[in-house]
Amino acid sequence: TSVKVTILDEEYMIRSDTSPENTRAVADYVDQAIRRVMSSGTVVETQRAAILTALQIAGELFQARESTDELTASLRALGEEIRPLIADATYAG
């Protein structure tokens, strides 16, 4: 599906396998993130702001992946603790 989005007042046609609403939400997130970087006053050039924003978003992605990995490990450990309890309860019942 092709979706027209606007980032920093420029229109782009984006082809994506996700829903148009998702594509627009992602584009809006990128637009707002770049605007925050530019409004900080330290970056004026659009290309530099886009690169800094990409680094910031990649950092968020890495943090989210790490959190997901930690949560997955915790759930696995909990599952290992619960499994014998369930087996005991099933056997006793």
Side-chain angles (χ1 to χ4, degrees):
T1 308
S2 291
V3 179
K4 187 188 308 184
V5 299
T6 304
I7 299 173
L8 291 181
D9 302 323
E10 293 206 28
E11 291 186 347
Y12 299 90
M13 284 300 289
I14 306 294
R15 274 196 276 180
S16 176
D17 293 335
T18 64
S19 70
E21 294 80 15
N22 186 62
T23 302
R24 285 187 197 99
V26 169
D28 186 53
Y29 184 84
V30 170
D31 180 62
Q32 294 303 314
I34 294 172
R35 290 179 187 280
R36 278 193 303 276
V37 168
M38 292 183 76
S39 71
S40 71
T42 58
V43 179
V44 177
E45 302 147 9
T46 304
Q47 181 178 358
R48 189 172 180 88
I51 290 170
L52 291 173
T53 301
L55 289 169
Q56 181 181 45
I57 292 172
E60 292 171 7
L61 173 63
F62 277 55
Q63 279 186 318
R65 285 181 177 169
E66 184 177 322
S67 294
T68 300
D69 291 345
E70 290 171 2
L71 181 58
T72 299
S74 294
L75 288 173
R76 282 193 180 126
L78 182 59
E80 292 301 317
E81 288 180 31
I82 291 174
R83 189 170 286 121
L85 299 173
I86 293 172
D88 289 346
T90 303
Y91 182 72

